[in-house]
Amino acid sequence: MNILTASNLEKSYPLKDIFENVSFKIEKGDKVGLIGANGAGKSTLFNILTGNLKADRGEIYIANDIKLGYLKQILSLDRTMTVYEYVLEVFEDLLGLESDMRRLEKKMAEGLGEDDLNQVMDTYTKKLEEFTDKNGYAIKSEIEGTLKAMGFAKEEFDKNINELSGGQKARAELAHLLLEKPDLILLDEPTNHLDIGAIRFLENFVKNYGGSVIVISHDRYFLDNTVNKVFILDHGKLHTYKGNYTEVISQRKKDMEVRIHQYRSQQREIKRQEEIIDRLKNQGGSLRKRGIAQSRSRQKLLDKVERIDKPIDYKKSMNLKFRPRIQSGMDVLKVEGLEKSYGNDLIFKDISFNLYRSEKVAIIGENGVGKTSLFKIILGEENKSGGSIRLGQSVNVGYFDQEQESLDLNNTIFEEISKTYPLMTNQEIRSYLAKFLFYQDDVDRLIGELSGGERARISLLKLMISDANFILMDEPTNHLDIDSKEILEDAILDYEGSVLLISHDRYFLNKISQKILLMKEDGMDEYLGNYAYYEKKLKESLISDQKEDKPTKTELKKQRQKDKLKASELRRHKEKIRKIEKDLEDIEIKIKELTDLTLEEGFYKDQEKVGETFSKIKNLEKDKEELTSQWLDLSMEIE
């Protein structure tokens, strides 16, 4: 089923054309990855689809009754309300309806005249039918069930949104979306500020979601695990492919090779025809008139040829080379029993690890475990609470900050380099900037006007020309598009110094890291390999835990007794569930019977009967809500 069609969309600004002739279809169940360079217009396209921005040209068709849900970047959620209050917003219309019903109930109890009472009763009946049809009495149980499914414990329902981690905010927004029940969800960079556990949760959500999803993401691992179609927005054009990220990029490269071959073949033929036309024009003597006629005829044919646009070269063009001018000793960093607390709050303890020259080491772990605090201690920006930390001989530390806070937003690009390195000549500065794709007038642009990816490139350049031989990188890929990520990966692989990085980008970790450090509150686990090796060892560890030593006969006997008790408890739970389901069915029948009674002619003449009937309906709905909540709790216990 086709739920959304975009035809010939076009958008431009006074100084920049964003895209043109963008057309695509979204079918029910499609999981689409929208990728492209920073500034290509991906978020602009989302804003057009949601109606927040108007296209200059083109049309969007959305099928009837299709509801759109839009999850913006995770950290945009900033509310002074609880998790429960936030998701309760979804039912604003139903809550308003319930408030109207309570008001009408009070009116009915005031002893109105027959005509007024009939009018109020008629309005009340309609609102009650709408409230019941929309399952209004199950709001509480539906919210609780959804929040629990999103990983929130019941005691966390009253937690303030502002106190949540990035991953928890993502789950709260997803719960909000799920309760809205949209047919099409738009996700804009949802993994940027999530820890790996939260990203895995989001992957499962997208894969198992019954509706359609379009996701803007630079997380290649995430795209590989979730999408079945990829849209590439590039130089104003949209290209559609089937498959996940890796499959699409492989096909894209093949297509590019074909287009380059076709373009070059056509250019050779055009050049050959132009040479023939020139020769015919320049013929002398008796052949001149005939030659000119033939040249005009050939020129007309050549003009009619549909020219193939020159394919854009997708090869890496950002020439990054990290070459430390000073070589460090073999031992770069030694950390033993490191501990950090803020007041009485322990952040981490017993952190120990070593890092050696030329090693590329990644630190992973849940948000809030103290990874950035560890970096600040290494940099000398914060004091440790215990343990020791020692840098090796001739080690010069460089820091790549994900927020690029070291950049002066009021400087031009040229000034940012010249003020940091005043001894460099203008020619040297321009040469370095050209390697980072800043040419001619680009160098006069203000830092504050640059995109996140462009600022990242400037930060990397400053790092490259420093004396650093030990680089700390905190989420270096956060603001980079996919091409820039691949360039950065190659640069780090070519770097002869040492790298310690924090990242949640699993594709990046898999390509770069030679060693993974899993940071926990009470220690650091070391894995001597890349991210795939870490995941493999993690799975082996889980399997090993399940294959415990063979139990003794006494232990087996005790276990069988426990299993019998569990089986007995499970049977009781299932019996309770069946009873609740039967009671719910009976309540539904009674509510329908009483609701039908309110529609009978002459019903409203007997006020006592009216009050009694609606009181019964209200009590039955409350019973239904309570039983539904019990059913949900029991169902989750036996899962």
Side-chain angles (χ1 to χ4, degrees):
M1 175 187 169
N2 184 21
I3 63 171
L4 183 147
T5 302
S7 301
N8 301 314
L9 295 180
E10 186 175 308
K11 185 64 184 175
S12 63
Y13 294 107
L15 299 177
K16 186 177 182 181
D17 293 332
I18 306 299
F19 50 70
E20 62 180 358
N21 297 326
V22 166
S23 299
F24 59 87
K25 291 181 180 179
I26 300 294
E27 302 286 338
K28 184 178 180 180
D30 274 349
K31 308 295 166 58
V32 181
L34 175 58
I35 65 174
N38 290 334
K42 303 183 295 294
S43 294
T44 299
L45 180 57
F46 265 22
N47 282 321
I48 290 172
L49 294 179
T50 56
N52 295 326
L53 193 64
K54 190 175 181 182
D56 299 334
R57 192 172 70 85
E59 295 179 348
I60 295 173
Y61 164 77
I62 299 176
N64 291 335
D65 301 323
I66 293 297
K67 189 190 294 185
L68 258 66
Y70 186 15
L71 182 70
K72 296 182 180 179
Q73 292 202 24
I74 300 304
L75 295 184
S76 65
L77 183 58
D78 185 19
R79 303 289 185 90
T80 53
M81 60 174 64
T82 66
V83 173
Y84 192 91
E85 288 169 342
Y86 173 60
V87 295
L88 189 62
E89 288 181 338
V90 173
F91 300 100
E92 191 175 347
D93 291 345
L94 271 175
L95 293 173
L97 198 58
E98 186 178 30
S99 179
D100 290 344
M101 287 164 57
R102 300 292 88 85
R103 180 177 52 79
L104 290 170
E105 285 169 0
K106 286 180 182 178
K107 261 193 171 187
M108 286 187 288
E110 290 173 357
L112 300 171
E114 186 175 345
D115 290 342
D116 289 340
L117 181 61
N118 286 340
Q119 187 177 352
V120 171
M121 286 290 193
D122 185 51
T123 304
Y124 182 84
T125 302
K126 288 176 182 175
K127 288 186 179 291
L128 176 62
E129 284 179 358
E130 184 182 354
F131 191 74
T132 305
D133 288 344
K134 292 181 177 179
N135 211 19
Y137 287 103
I139 289 175
K140 183 182 175 184
S141 57
E142 194 172 351
I143 287 176
E144 288 188 6
T146 303
L147 285 176
K148 286 177 182 177
M150 295 295 110
F152 287 98
K154 198 161 185 175
E155 56 269 21
E156 292 178 310
F157 291 2
D158 294 325
K159 200 171 184 180
N160 196 291
I161 291 286
N162 287 332
E163 297 172 4
L164 301 181
S165 69
Q168 288 172 320
K169 286 182 179 180
R171 294 176 190 222
E173 290 207 58
L174 286 169
H176 194 282
L177 271 183
L178 196 57
L179 288 165
E180 284 182 330
K181 300 179 177 67
D183 303 282
L184 172 61
I185 295 180
L186 308 180
L187 303 174
D188 192 349
E189 295 292 359
T191 66
N192 260 8
H193 299 281
L194 297 184
D195 58 39
I196 288 171
I199 291 172
R200 287 199 192 104
F201 162 80
L202 184 57
E203 284 176 351
N204 288 329
F205 172 80
V206 172
K207 278 190 289 190
N208 299 319
Y209 187 61
S212 304
V213 179
I214 308 177
V215 56
I216 296 172
S217 182
H218 293 140
D219 186 334
R220 296 156 291 176
Y221 217 90
F222 177 80
L223 292 172
D224 267 349
N225 287 337
T226 56
V227 306
N228 55 22
K229 193 181 289 186
V230 175
F231 292 166
I232 301 178
L233 193 54
D234 186 67
H235 291 80
K237 306 289 184 184
L238 188 79
H239 308 277
T240 302
Y241 292 86
K242 289 184 178 179
N244 64 19
Y245 172 78
T246 299
E247 293 165 348
V248 166
I249 292 305
S250 175
Q251 185 59 46
R252 175 90 164 148
K253 286 177 180 176
K254 291 176 184 176
D255 291 349
M256 182 55 58
E257 289 171 2
V258 171
R259 282 201 292 273
I260 289 172
H261 175 73
Q262 290 172 338
Y263 171 78
R264 287 174 177 168
S265 297
Q266 188 184 65
Q267 288 299 305
R268 284 195 295 270
E269 180 59 22
I270 288 171
K271 186 178 180 182
R272 189 178 75 85
Q273 289 298 330
E274 287 174 343
E275 288 172 352
I276 293 172
I277 290 167
D278 284 341
R279 285 201 301 271
L280 290 170
K281 280 181 182 178
N282 295 323
Q283 282 183 335
S286 59
L287 297 175
R288 179 173 175 77
K289 189 175 180 180
R290 182 181 172 190
I292 290 173
Q294 286 181 338
S295 71
R296 286 173 180 169
S297 177
R298 278 183 177 266
Q299 187 65 56
K300 285 180 183 178
L301 291 172
L302 187 59
D303 291 341
K304 289 179 182 178
V305 171
E306 186 176 344
R307 305 295 173 102
I308 298 171
D309 292 334
K310 183 178 180 180
I312 296 149
D313 190 357
Y314 290 92
K315 292 179 182 177
K316 302 174 178 101
S317 51
M318 201 161 92
N319 184 18
L320 295 179
K321 291 291 179 184
F322 287 124
R323 306 273 181 183
R325 288 187 284 185
I326 301 169
Q327 189 178 67
S328 70
M330 185 57 69
D331 295 326
V332 174
L333 178 67
K334 189 176 185 66
V335 177
E336 288 185 309
L338 198 67
E339 183 177 316
K340 179 64 182 175
S341 299
Y342 293 104
N344 294 324
D345 294 329
L346 175 69
I347 305 302
F348 57 74
K349 65 177 181 178
D350 296 332
I351 298 296
S352 301
F353 65 95
N354 295 323
L355 190 143
Y356 303 102
R357 188 173 66 211
S358 299
E359 271 194 326
K360 314 300 189 290
V361 180
I363 299 176
I364 64 173
E366 294 181 359
N367 287 344
V369 78
K371 300 186 293 294
T372 300
S373 295
L374 172 62
F375 265 27
K376 287 180 178 178
I377 293 171
I378 295 171
L379 291 165
E381 294 177 3
E382 286 192 11
N383 295 322
K384 63 186 187 298
S385 302
S388 67
I389 183 166
R390 192 176 79 242
L391 290 172
Q393 187 177 4
S394 302
V395 172
N396 296 320
V397 182
Y399 180 51
F400 179 86
D401 175 21
Q402 59 174 312
E403 303 301 333
Q404 287 95 48
E405 290 178 356
S406 64
L407 301 179
D408 186 336
L409 303 185
N410 296 315
N411 280 341
T412 65
I413 293 174
F414 187 89
E415 288 170 343
E416 185 67 26
I417 305 302
S418 64
K419 287 180 179 179
T420 308
Y421 301 100
L423 298 180
M424 289 182 66
T425 66
N426 288 359
Q427 172 106 23
E428 286 174 325
I429 292 171
R430 285 184 175 274
S431 175
Y432 273 121
L433 287 170
K435 289 181 179 180
F436 280 70
L437 311 184
F438 294 109
Y439 305 107
Q440 299 174 354
D441 294 342
D442 286 343
V443 303
D444 296 322
R445 293 169 63 196
L446 287 173
I447 297 293
E449 296 173 353
L450 302 181
S451 68
E454 289 169 326
R455 290 184 194 182
R457 277 154 48 196
I458 295 298
S459 293
L460 286 170
L461 171 56
K462 289 174 68 176
L463 197 57
M464 183 187 105
I465 55 183
S466 72
D467 289 331
N469 52 25
F470 173 36
I471 296 173
L472 304 183
M473 293 183 151
D474 190 355
E475 299 291 357
T477 64
N478 258 10
H479 302 290
L480 301 184
D481 57 42
I482 288 175
D483 288 340
S484 296
K485 284 182 181 184
E486 293 181 350
I487 294 160
L488 175 61
E489 288 162 358
D490 289 344
I492 294 173
L493 289 171
D494 288 340
Y495 179 50
E496 295 174 3
S498 309
V499 176
L500 181 63
L501 58 91
I502 297 168
S503 181
H504 294 129
D505 185 336
R506 294 163 295 170
Y507 205 100
F508 177 76
L509 291 172
N510 208 41
K511 191 171 179 180
I512 294 302
S513 56
Q514 300 162 327
K515 183 161 70 180
I516 297 283
L517 299 175
L518 175 62
M519 188 170 178
K520 301 177 294 186
E521 183 183 329
D522 58 352
M524 189 86 86
D525 293 340
E526 185 177 83
Y527 296 85
L528 300 176
N530 62 7
Y531 187 78
Y533 175 83
Y534 156 74
E535 284 204 320
K536 178 187 173 187
K537 288 296 177 184
L538 210 60
K539 287 176 184 174
E540 288 176 359
S541 176
L542 288 172
I543 293 168
S544 177
D545 288 344
Q546 291 167 3
K547 293 179 180 178
E548 295 177 351
D549 293 335
K550 189 175 179 181
T552 63
K553 289 182 179 180
T554 305
E555 287 172 335
L556 280 171
K557 186 178 179 182
K558 287 180 179 178
Q559 186 60 47
R560 277 196 292 270
Q561 288 172 344
K562 286 181 182 178
D563 290 343
K564 282 181 182 178
L565 287 171
K566 286 179 182 177
S568 175
E569 185 67 25
L570 187 62
R571 280 196 298 274
R572 283 199 295 272
H573 271 54
K574 287 183 176 180
E575 285 169 8
K576 286 180 184 177
I577 287 172
R578 281 194 290 271
K579 185 178 183 307
I580 288 172
E581 287 172 347
K582 178 67 171 63
D583 290 344
L584 283 170
E585 192 178 323
D586 292 341
I587 287 173
E588 290 282 3
I589 292 169
K590 287 176 184 176
I591 290 173
K592 186 177 185 309
E593 287 173 352
L594 290 170
T595 303
D596 289 343
L597 183 63
T598 65
L599 302 175
E600 290 179 2
E601 190 176 344
F603 170 75
Y604 295 104
K605 290 179 180 179
D606 187 345
Q607 287 193 35
E608 188 177 338
K609 182 181 178 182
V610 167
E612 185 183 325
T613 302
F614 279 106
S615 178
K616 285 180 180 178
I617 291 174
K618 188 175 177 181
N619 289 333
L620 285 168
E621 291 289 2
K622 283 183 179 178
D623 291 343
K624 177 183 171 184
E625 182 182 353
E626 179 60 33
L627 286 171
T628 302
S629 181
Q630 290 176 23
W631 180 89
L632 185 64
D633 288 340
L634 287 168
S635 297
M636 293 189 76
E637 283 179 24
I638 66 172
E639 282 181 353

